[in-house]
């Protein structure tokens, strides 16, 4: 099977199997000076050290000519690497040939080369001539064409992406050299400007896999397993070779390979290895050519990677946290190793795998073990990391305190032998506050663990007496604010009811206080008992309208009117009652009005006469 450059160029293709080491390379050198010119007979084009015109070529580390793409050569790692730069002749034809010697007869080879169109997209007013190269392999007599293939048209794209093209051929009996030729399929002019680099020849053979009976393509073991050996089988796909000869090799760096004496079959029992070792086999159709690197190919590489036992992780230290927090235990180990956490120095239970950090809030000692990321190869010891969890200070529940208006209160964290940080900025156990609100205190113990207590301070306002009124024989006290108020007529005995019933008329001092003993307010009040009605029916019960309490005044006058304002009664200090008559006549049931002037105080209102 060949990998094709593109589907329309089926004659070009890569070796579908394994290849040998390169037997011929041409990278055209490096340096900032153009040249040297190719050997005589290599090309009919003219060599120049300046800008190549049509039919010219140069060997240069720059492609910065005309409006061409400016790019580096293809060879990896080159400094000022050079490439073969061609400005195609006006006439299509051959522009490069060279002989490749030292080949083996009856052997399949792969020729390859990297190529790029130097014209940017849209050049030559969109009419740029595309690059189109034919690769040919001729026998050494230059009479027998062994293989050829065309790249097809490669338009200018404006990218600096080199593309590789390959051609597979087979030498004939007694043939040990070939002639490589490159031809332009297009005429020169505006376009058809190209660069070529890294021409390579190498043998091509079967695709040869190497695996164990378990179909392992590689093996990774821990060095504590001691000497390791594997039984390997090379399996060619017979896509190129009709028969197979082998020579197994081993290497410690994949650069220098050493033949393993006597190992010339498809199966290899590897030597016992204690360090990483690589194995492959050279393979040809004929045993005579197996050690000729111009003729053989090499299989896939099977590596036995011996992983060293990792050192135990290094700790970042023990961790201390407070109850309720999470502690982050951490260790360090090179990136080639993972970390597993256990609950015991040996054996025990796996807590967390493949993580250098362990987050937990449970106190105890945890053990970190390093392990290879490639295979089970653990450190011989585990690193202990201890998490200490300190308790929080025990604080009382949040509480409510009461502050008397225009006073202060002392609030207490109620925790001793700690430090304190109040929301007010104070740092003592107890503080005085003069305003209502929420006060937080952060209590911190000697281990640096903190708890918060909140004390809500509510202000108790002094009562504000709104009004005091007489309601018949009752005194009713109304406040303009609310609270758990108590009321008293003597300042000694207090009641929760704001109504004093059956009180004789007279002067009184009204006392109002909050039941939390936050202070008392007082107000003088004259209680005049005015009947709401009287019944002058001669039964001696409530027969007279007679206000109670006027005796405390020096001068009293009383006037009684009907609803029309007619004066029915006028009396003074010695005559303040009324029997419900006018000029000896009994008046009907109705509402009547009074006006009382007592010293400098005036009282007025109405009452009912009922028969």
């Amino acid at each position: 099977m060949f990998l094709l450059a593109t589907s329309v160029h089926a004659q070009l293709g890569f070796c579908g199997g394994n290849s040998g080491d390169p037997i011929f390379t041409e990278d055209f050198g490096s340096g900032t000076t153009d040249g040297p010119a190719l050997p005589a007979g290599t090309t009919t084009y003219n060599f120049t050290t300046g800008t190549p015109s049509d039919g010219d070529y140069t060997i240069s580390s720059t492609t910065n000519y005309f409006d061409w793409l400016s790019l580096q050569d293809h060879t990896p790692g080159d400094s000022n690497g050079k490439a073969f730069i061609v400005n195609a002749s006006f006439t299509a034809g051959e522009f490069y040939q060279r002989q490749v010697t030292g080949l083996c007869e009856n052997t399949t080879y792969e020729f390859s080369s990297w190529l790029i169109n130097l014209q940017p997209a849209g050049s030559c007013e969109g009419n740029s001539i595309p690059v189109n190269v034919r690769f040919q392999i001729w026998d050494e007599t230059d009479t027998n064409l062994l293989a050829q293939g065309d790249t097809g048209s490669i338009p200018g794209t404006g990218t600096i992406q080199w593309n590789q093209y390959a051609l597979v051929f087979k030498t004939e009996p007694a043939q040990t050299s070939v002639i490589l030729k490159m031809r332009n399929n297009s005429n020169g002019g505006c376009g058809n400007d190209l660069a070529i680099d890294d021409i390579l020849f190498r043998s091509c053979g079967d695709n040869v896999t190497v695996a164990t009976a378990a179909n392992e393509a590689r093996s990774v073991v821990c060095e504590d397993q001691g000497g390791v050996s594997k039984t390997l089988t090379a399996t060619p796909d017979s896509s190129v070779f009709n028969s197979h000869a082998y020579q197994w090799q081993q290497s410690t760096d994949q650069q220098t390979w050493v033949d393993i004496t006597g190992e010339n079959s498809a199966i290899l029992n590897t030597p016992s290895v204690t360090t990483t070792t690589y194995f492959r086999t050279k393979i040809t159709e004929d045993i005579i050519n197996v050690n000729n690197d111009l003729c053989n190919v090499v299989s896939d590489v099977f590596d036995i990677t011996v992983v060293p036992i990792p050192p135990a992780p290094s700790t970042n230290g023990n961790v201390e946290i407070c109850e309720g927090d999470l502690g982050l235990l951490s260790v360090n180990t090179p990136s080639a190793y993972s970390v597993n956490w256990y609950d015991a120095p040996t054996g025990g239970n796996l807590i967390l795998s493949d993580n250098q950090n362990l987050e937990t809030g449970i106190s105890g000692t945890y053990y970190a073990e390093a392990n290879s990321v490639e295979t089970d190869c653990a450190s011989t010891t585990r690193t202990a990391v201890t998490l200490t969890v300190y308790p929080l200070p025990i604080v009382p529940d949040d509480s409510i305190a009461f502050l008397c208006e225009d006073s202060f209160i002392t609030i207490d964290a109620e925790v001793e032998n700690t430090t304190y940080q109040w929301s007010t900025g104070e740092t003592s156990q107890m503080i005085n506050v003069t305003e209502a609100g929420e006060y937080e205190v952060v209590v911190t113990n000697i281990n640096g663990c903190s708890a918060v207590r909140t004390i809500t301070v509510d202000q108790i306002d002094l009562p504000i007496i709104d009004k005091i009124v007489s309601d018949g024989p009752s005194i009713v006290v109304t406040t303009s604010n609310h609270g758990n108020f108590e009321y008293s007529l003597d300042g000694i005995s207090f009641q929760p009811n704001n109504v004093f019933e059956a009180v004789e008329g007279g002067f009184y001092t009204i006392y109002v206080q909050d039941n939390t003993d936050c202070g008392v307010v007082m107000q003088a009040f004259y209680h005049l008992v005015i009947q709401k009605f009287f019944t002058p029916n001669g039964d001696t019960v409530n027969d007279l309208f007679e206000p109670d309490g006027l005796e405390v005044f020096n001068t009293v006058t009383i006037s009684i009117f009907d609803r029309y304002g007619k004066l029915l009664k006028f009396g003074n200090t010695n005559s303040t009652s009324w029997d419900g008559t006018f000029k000896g006549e009994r008046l009907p049931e109705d509402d009547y009005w009074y006006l009382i002037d007592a010293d400098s105080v005036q009282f007025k209102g109405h009452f009912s006469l009922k028969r």
Side-chain angles (χ1 to χ4, degrees), residues 439-466:
Y439 294 85
E440 286 189 346
V441 58
V442 179
V443 178
T444 305
N445 61 23
I446 58 174
N447 296 315
C449 297
S450 301
V452 178
R453 186 187 184 203
T454 300
I455 300 174
T456 302
V457 175
D458 289 340
Q459 178 173 296
I460 299 173
D461 297 328
L462 288 172
I464 300 174
I465 298 174
D466 181 31

Side-chain angles (χ1 to χ4, degrees), residues 221 226-229 250 270-277 279 304 306:
V221 298
V228 176
S229 62
Q250 68 180 39
T270 71
S272 177
V273 298
T274 56
T275 60
T276 297
T277 306
F279 296 91
I304 301 176
V306 180

Side-chain angles (χ1 to χ4, degrees), residues 362-396:
I362 302 174
S363 63
T365 299
Y366 299 84
Y367 301 88
E369 176 185 273
N371 207 321
S372 169
V373 296
E374 296 185 274
T375 190
D376 185 14
C377 189
S379 56
T380 56
T381 60
R382 296 173 180 170
T383 299
V385 186
T386 299
L387 176 67
T388 301
V389 180
Y390 293 115
L392 301 178
I394 299 175
V395 299

Side-chain angles (χ1 to χ4, degrees), residues 73-101:
D73 79 327
H74 171 266
T75 310
D78 257 5
S79 176
N80 295 314
K82 298 179 182 180
F84 176 33
I85 300 166
V86 178
N87 189 336
S89 172
F90 287 111
T91 303
E94 181 182 312
F95 65 90
Y96 179 89
Q97 74 163 291
R98 72 161 299 154
Q99 188 171 30
V100 179
T101 61

Side-chain angles (χ1 to χ4, degrees), residues 75 105 117:
T75 310
E105 59 180 312
N117 187 335

Side-chain angles (χ1 to χ4, degrees), residues 45-46 52-56 66 87-90 187-193:
Y45 279 34
N46 299 315
S53 300
D54 292 282
D56 290 347
F66 304 110
N87 189 336
S89 172
F90 287 111
N187 297 325
C190 192
N192 198 6
D193 305 309

